[in-house]
Amino acid sequence: MTPALDLPGYRHLYSGKVRDLYVPLNAAGEDDPDRLLLAASDRISAYDAILDPAIPDKGEILNRLSLWWFDQLADLLPNHVLTTDVPDAVAGRAILVRRLDMVPVECVARAYLTGGGLGEYAATGAVSGLPLPAGLVDGSRLPEPIFTPSSKAPAGEHDEPITYADVVALVGPGRAAELRELTVEILRRGNAIAAERGILLADTKVEFGLDAGGALVLADEVLTPDSSRFWPADEWVPGRAQASFDKQFVRDWLTSPASGWSKSSGDAPPPLPAEVVEQTRARYVEAYERLTGARFVPLASAR
Ligand SMILES: N#Cc1c(N)ncnc1-c1cnn(Cc2cccc(F)c2)c1
């Protein structure tokens, strides 16, 4: 993985698969106690691997989409965004945010049944301890979006599903109810907008933090193809794996004989052909333009 950029005036704190976290430094070179810089990279992840090469503009597209969703949700709850006035090296794809006391729960909501939730349902008839109607299949729309939280696993490990009772034990009953209500409402609102524009949000993960006054604040990124499953609405057919709006070109090529790769090999996926990179970039642009109604013009070219 390409190492995170060195940003003068910032200290690199942590890199996830596709994003990097920095802390601003004061004149004495000490960590700013109140702010962080979140940078979305052009890295793309699939099959639990970071693929090569990166997708040009992916970081900027998803950062701008997340900012748009924060605006759409601003009447529901406050968010951590301070400014997009960031160093040139990450301009357009990074935000300065308020440093929060992060809630130790991955808040996941599901509007459609797939992935790990489908596996749990097949085994138990429930997801996160929530019994679901019989007869659901891969891609079934759920009667109502459900809250299916996960633990915050250490770096490099997979989050583990937890029950609502586990969340209550972690944060107390009142806060747990607030997290459930807000997470479900964010996905509900996301789908109300996305469905009109031909995109289904099957599920999403959001993160919350507490500000100094103890108020809940929406953090991290929100309703992006990296934090949510985006499906093209016109290809939705319950009963089979759904097409991914943004990653289907990658999946199709990597699982085709042309790649010479096998998921089960344990080998790293081969580099993506230029055509797949461009097709994938175009899908991120399309998702942004459909949802926001705005044209995507890369900041660099707009300068
Ligand atoms: N958002 C936010 C946030 C905040 N506003 N205050 C305190 N901590 C965080 C915080 C800590 N880890 N992450 C996940 C994360 C995000 C982006 C890139 C990464 F590498 C990792 C988020």
Side-chain angles (χ1 to χ4, degrees):
M1 176 169 100
T2 343
L5 274 180
D6 178 39
L7 283 182
Y10 292 79
R11 180 166 70 88
H12 174 243
L13 285 181
Y14 168 76
S15 283
K17 284 200 175 97
V18 296
R19 290 178 305 151
D20 307 300
L21 194 64
Y22 298 82
V23 59
L25 301 175
N26 64 22
E30 298 151 342
D31 287 2
D32 183 327
D34 302 318
R35 297 182 307 157
L36 293 169
L37 183 127
L38 267 60
S41 78
D42 290 346
R43 300 189 297 267
I44 183 169
S45 164
Y47 301 113
D48 243 359
I50 298 168
L51 305 183
D52 186 39
I55 307 296
D57 296 325
K58 173 176 178 278
E60 184 172 346
I61 296 164
L62 268 58
N63 183 56
R64 287 183 30 200
L65 178 59
S66 184
L67 285 165
W68 183 82
W69 282 117
F70 277 124
D71 283 348
Q72 306 309 307
L73 298 165
D75 66 303
L76 185 61
L77 80 161
N79 63 61
H80 67 160
V81 179
L82 286 173
T83 177
T84 57
D85 182 11
V86 297
D88 286 351
V90 290
R93 65 180 183 88
I95 50 177
L96 269 167
V97 301
R98 287 189 273 164
R99 187 188 283 245
L100 303 168
D101 176 12
M102 297 304 282
V103 170
V105 178
E106 299 287 8
C107 290
V108 177
R110 297 171 189 270
Y112 295 78
L113 189 62
T114 194
L118 176 68
E120 224 185 302
Y121 170 80
T124 68
V127 181
S128 289
L130 279 173
L132 293 177
L136 300 179
V137 295
D138 195 354
S140 286
R141 185 172 26 229
L142 298 172
E144 289 296 325
I146 59 175
F147 182 57
T148 63
S150 292
S151 63
K152 282 197 170 182
E157 292 177 33
H158 286 284
D159 301 336
E160 291 299 323
I162 57 178
T163 64
Y164 183 70
D166 294 327
V167 178
V168 171
L170 278 167
V171 302
R175 187 67 81 195
E178 203 180 1
L179 294 174
R180 175 172 59 186
E181 187 183 318
L182 285 168
T183 305
V184 165
E185 181 60 13
I186 287 166
L187 183 57
R188 195 195 310 278
R189 287 195 181 194
N191 267 316
I193 292 173
E196 281 176 358
R197 296 156 198 202
I199 293 172
L200 300 181
L201 305 176
D203 48 45
T204 196
K205 174 191 76 72
V206 291
E207 293 202 32
F208 299 93
L210 302 180
D211 65 15
L216 210 56
V217 177
L218 184 57
D220 200 32
E221 62 183 325
V222 60
L223 295 172
T224 72
D226 279 344
S227 68
S228 321
R229 282 189 173 92
F230 276 44
W231 292 344
D234 60 2
E235 295 180 41
W236 175 57
V237 178
R240 60 158 172 77
Q242 306 307 312
S244 164
F245 190 93
D246 51 295
K247 292 191 175 152
Q248 202 54 46
F249 287 109
V250 166
R251 288 182 184 166
D252 289 350
W253 185 78
L254 281 175
T255 55
S256 76
S259 74
W261 181 71
S262 154
K263 269 189 285 187
S264 56
S265 66
D267 299 337
L272 301 174
E275 182 191 347
V276 172
V277 172
E278 183 39 48
Q279 287 168 328
T280 302
R281 179 187 178 280
R283 291 297 271 179
Y284 285 119
V285 170
E286 185 181 352
Y288 174 84
E289 295 188 344
R290 277 200 199 188
L291 290 170
T292 67
R295 277 206 56 234
F296 173 74
V297 178
L299 201 59
S301 64
R303 281 190 161 167

